């Protein structure tokens, strides 16, 4: 998973958690404020009803509910009261004979409760208070229907939810852009690393945030160390080759000594082994030279290089009439030119040796680079196809060559983490060799 996606996912999780928590808290606050206002109104109605209590001539307390509003006289208006005076219970006319299971409270006691099942199965908020009035214990319970306020709260809740989602999406969009902008220096560093790999730069020079500076500093130090070690390695190989030059010359002269004329098989083996040592040294010297001079590495234009290569091969194999069918892009590819020339040159040289006259070269760089060369030669059996890429194997000793071509191609492909495949050409009938490089 990319760093940008990971940061976006983490920030989205945090934002969603914060906004959900904020929405739940706001929902609770809205309901609490609404119920507080309702409780205040219930308190005022209870006080109004309490003020109407007066002792009558019979020594009992009378009350007048008209002072607390006409809604308590309308049938199932949603506003109800229950009055307990000295063991007697009085209900508002709005209850229409229904009762509420409310227990009277002692003096100075206050209780706020919710009833889920009112007279018409509606939820009720009930405020109950106890007093001592004219030496009579009095308990007044005022109830109000929560249906309307619950509906209003649901509307507010949905509107606030929509606003929260809108703000959340806006915050996610802004933080996504901010993360992308914050990671821009890393993209610049990646571009500079590609230029270093192409030999156009030696160090990373992009200005990066303070947190990334140590990483860039270590990469630059590592690049310097690699360059220094490659230089040391090239120098060591050059010194070794120079040191081996005299013993090899001696071995070449020994192979031509007259005393070996009586042992032709021994002379042949000595000549072959000495020649292989010489070829191996030359190849490693060339690779060390290429690897040790990153600054001189250059990019590769397939179409331009193939034109020169095919012209050279036509001159080498002038006894044949070779027809090259080439499909290659005319642009610079980010691969080392010398390595690609060696790879394609070996593939073409092998094809020219065996082709009857027709060779197809296809280089596709639309995604990962793929190089394939096929010919109309005799081809190989399945067993031979499996052995062809082995170093030193030659299928036909009558054909000139050292048997190193495909092995060298394999080495270069593996150096770039590519894959070499050899198969029969379905189009021409000969051999088809392809190299697939990773993206």
């Amino acid at each position: 998973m990319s760093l940008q996606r990971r940061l976006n996912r983490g920030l989205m999780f945090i934002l969603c958690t914060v906004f959900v928590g904020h929405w739940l808290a706001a929902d609770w606050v809205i309901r609490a404020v609404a119920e507080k206002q309702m409780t205040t109104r219930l308190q005022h109605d209870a006080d109004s009803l309490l003020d109407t209590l007066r002792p009558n001539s019979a020594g009992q307390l009378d009350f007048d509910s008209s002072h607390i509003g006409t809604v308590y006289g309308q049938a199932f208006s949603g506003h109800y009261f229950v009055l307990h005076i000295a063991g007697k219970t009085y209900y508002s006319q709005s209850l229409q004979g229904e009762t509420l299971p409310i227990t009277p409270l002692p003096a100075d006691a206050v209780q706020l409760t919710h009833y889920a099942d009112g007279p018409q199965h509606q939820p009720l908020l009930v405020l109950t208070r106890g007093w001592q009035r004219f030496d009579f214990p009095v308990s007044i319970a005022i109830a109000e229907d929560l249906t309307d306020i619950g509906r209003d709260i649901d509307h507010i809740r949905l509107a606030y939810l929509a606003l929260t989602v809108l703000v959340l999406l806006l915050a996610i969009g802004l933080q996504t852009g901010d993360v992308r902008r914050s990671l821009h220096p890393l993209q610049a560093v990646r571009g500079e690393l590609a230029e270093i790999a192409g030999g156009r730069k030696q160090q990373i020079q992009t200005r990066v945030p303070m947190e990334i500076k140590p990483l860039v500093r270590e990469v630059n130090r590592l690049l310097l160390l690699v360059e220094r070690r490659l230089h040391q390695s090239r120098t060591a190989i050059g010194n070794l080759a120079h040191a081996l030059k005299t013993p090899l010359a001696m071995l070449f002269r020994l192979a031509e000594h007259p005393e070996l004329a009586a042992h032709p098989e021994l002379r042949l083996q000595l000549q072959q082994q000495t020649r292989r040592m010489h070829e191996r040294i030359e190849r490693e010297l060339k690779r060390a030279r290429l690897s040790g001079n990153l600054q001189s590495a250059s990019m590769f234009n397939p179409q331009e290089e193939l034109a020169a290569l095919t012209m050279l091969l036509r001159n080498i194999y002038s006894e044949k009439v070779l027809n090259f069918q080439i499909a290659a892009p005319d642009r610079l590819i980010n691969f080392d030119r010398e390595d690609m020339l060696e790879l394609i040159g070996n593939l073409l040289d092998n094809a020219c040796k065996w082709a009857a006259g027709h060779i197809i070269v296809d280089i596709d760089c639309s995604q990962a680079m793929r190089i394939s060369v096929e010919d109309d030669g005799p081809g190989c059996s399945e067993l031979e196809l499996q052995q062809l890429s082995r170093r030193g194997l030659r299928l036909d000793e009558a054909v000139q060559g050292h048997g190193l071509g495909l092995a060298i191609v394999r080495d270069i492909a593996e150096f770039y983490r590519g894959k070499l495949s050899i198969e029969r050409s379905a189009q021409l009938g000969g051999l088809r060799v392809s190299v697939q490089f990773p993206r």
Side-chain angles (χ1 to χ4, degrees):
M1 179 183 292
S2 67
L3 180 60
Q4 180 176 343
R5 181 173 297 180
R6 183 176 299 180
L7 289 174
N8 284 335
R9 192 175 66 174
L11 289 173
M12 285 175 61
F13 176 76
I14 294 173
L15 286 175
C16 289
T17 303
V18 170
F19 273 88
V20 168
H22 181 264
W23 182 82
L24 292 175
D27 180 69
W28 178 83
V29 169
I30 291 172
R31 177 170 288 277
V33 170
E35 290 192 357
K36 183 175 179 59
Q37 292 180 349
M38 184 181 291
T39 302
T40 302
R41 187 166 59 249
L42 295 177
Q43 175 68 48
H44 292 164
D45 287 351
D47 291 340
S48 298
L49 185 59
L50 181 65
D51 290 341
T52 65
L53 294 177
R54 294 286 184 275
N56 56 23
S57 57
Q60 302 296 323
L61 284 179
D62 287 335
F63 67 94
D64 184 2
S65 62
S66 62
H67 288 277
I68 63 172
T70 57
V71 292
Y72 291 94
Q74 299 173 2
F76 303 116
S77 62
H79 296 264
Y80 314 104
F81 70 79
V82 179
L83 180 60
H84 298 273
I85 302 176
K88 293 183 179 180
T89 304
Y90 304 91
Y91 295 98
S92 64
Q93 292 181 2
S94 57
L95 284 169
Q96 295 292 300
E98 298 285 342
T99 59
L100 293 174
I102 298 175
T103 304
L105 295 180
D108 299 330
V110 180
Q111 186 178 49
L112 184 68
T113 55
H114 290 79
Y115 281 92
D117 191 14
Q120 291 187 321
H121 308 292
Q122 72 272 54
L124 298 177
L125 180 65
V126 181
L127 176 66
T128 307
R129 296 185 64 183
W131 287 276
Q132 189 69 26
R133 190 74 171 176
F134 300 109
D135 296 330
F136 289 92
V138 176
S139 176
I140 300 176
I142 305 295
E144 184 171 342
D145 188 356
L146 287 172
T147 303
D148 291 339
I149 193 170
R151 189 181 299 114
D152 292 340
I153 290 176
D154 287 342
H155 290 162
I156 296 174
R157 182 183 297 161
L158 289 175
Y160 189 70
L161 177 63
L163 179 63
T164 301
V165 171
L166 182 63
V167 173
L168 177 62
L169 293 177
L170 181 62
I172 290 174
L174 290 175
Q175 66 93 14
T176 300
D178 187 61
V179 169
R180 186 180 295 113
R181 186 171 58 256
S182 299
L183 294 179
H184 181 71
L186 291 180
Q187 296 176 354
V189 169
R190 185 179 63 181
E192 285 209 47
L193 286 174
E195 292 185 355
I196 291 172
R200 298 184 296 278
K201 277 190 174 180
Q202 287 184 304
Q203 295 280 292
I204 299 174
Q205 298 173 346
T206 299
R207 297 184 63 181
V208 296
M210 182 177 61
E211 292 81 0
I212 306 176
K213 278 185 179 178
L215 175 63
V216 172
R217 189 162 48 245
E218 287 301 316
V219 171
N220 281 335
R221 190 183 66 81
L222 183 61
L223 288 172
L224 185 62
L225 183 63
V226 169
E227 184 181 2
R228 184 180 303 165
R229 289 185 177 176
L230 284 175
H231 177 73
Q232 292 172 348
S233 176
R234 182 184 60 179
T235 303
I237 291 177
N239 294 337
L240 179 61
H242 182 74
L244 290 175
K245 187 179 298 182
T246 302
L248 274 177
M250 182 63 71
L251 288 175
F252 275 120
R253 284 200 297 273
L254 285 175
E256 301 298 331
H257 198 279
E259 292 184 2
L260 290 178
H263 306 280
E265 184 177 350
L266 179 60
R267 168 179 286 179
L268 179 61
Q269 290 184 1
L270 183 59
Q271 290 174 337
Q272 288 178 344
Q273 295 302 320
T274 307
R275 186 172 60 250
R276 287 178 182 176
M277 291 172 61
H278 177 72
E279 292 168 355
R280 180 70 181 186
I281 290 172
E282 289 296 325
R283 171 165 171 72
E284 294 303 326
L285 277 175
K286 179 181 178 182
R287 182 170 291 281
R289 183 175 66 256
L290 293 175
S291 303
N293 192 3
L294 293 175
Q295 188 64 21
S296 63
S298 58
M299 300 179 77
F300 169 69
N301 187 316
Q303 194 174 91
E304 290 182 0
E305 302 297 350
L306 279 172
L309 271 176
T310 53
M311 183 180 297
L312 175 64
L313 288 167
R314 280 195 176 98
N315 292 331
I316 294 175
Y317 295 93
S318 58
E319 73 279 7
K320 293 183 178 181
V321 179
L322 295 174
N323 176 31
F324 291 93
Q325 180 181 340
I326 297 174
D330 184 15
R331 62 183 176 88
L332 291 176
I333 307 298
N334 192 21
F335 279 87
D336 184 84
R337 175 177 176 271
E338 298 299 329
D339 281 352
M340 291 300 104
L341 285 179
E342 187 174 7
L343 186 147
I344 298 175
N346 277 288
L347 291 178
L348 287 177
D349 181 64
N350 186 70
C352 290
K353 285 177 186 174
W354 299 95
H358 196 182
I359 297 172
I360 297 178
V361 183
D362 182 19
I363 299 180
D364 181 12
C365 300
S366 55
Q367 294 182 351
M369 187 167 76
R370 181 183 57 80
I371 302 172
S372 69
V373 176
E374 47 192 316
D375 60 69
D376 59 349
C380 302
S381 66
E382 290 298 326
L383 179 61
E384 292 170 339
L385 286 176
Q386 296 176 3
Q387 298 176 341
L388 256 179
S389 62
R390 290 171 52 188
R391 185 183 300 275
L393 178 67
R394 295 178 57 193
L395 297 182
D396 187 355
E397 296 293 338
V399 179
Q400 292 182 352
H402 304 292
L404 290 171
L406 291 180
I408 293 173
V409 171
R410 182 194 58 191
D411 286 349
I412 296 175
E414 290 177 351
F415 178 77
Y416 287 96
R417 300 179 182 177
K419 181 181 179 182
L420 171 68
S421 61
I422 305 172
E423 58 190 350
R424 179 172 290 278
S425 170
Q427 188 173 357
L428 300 181
L431 200 65
R432 181 178 187 273
V433 184
S434 60
V435 180
Q436 177 73 44
F437 293 97
R439 297 183 64 178

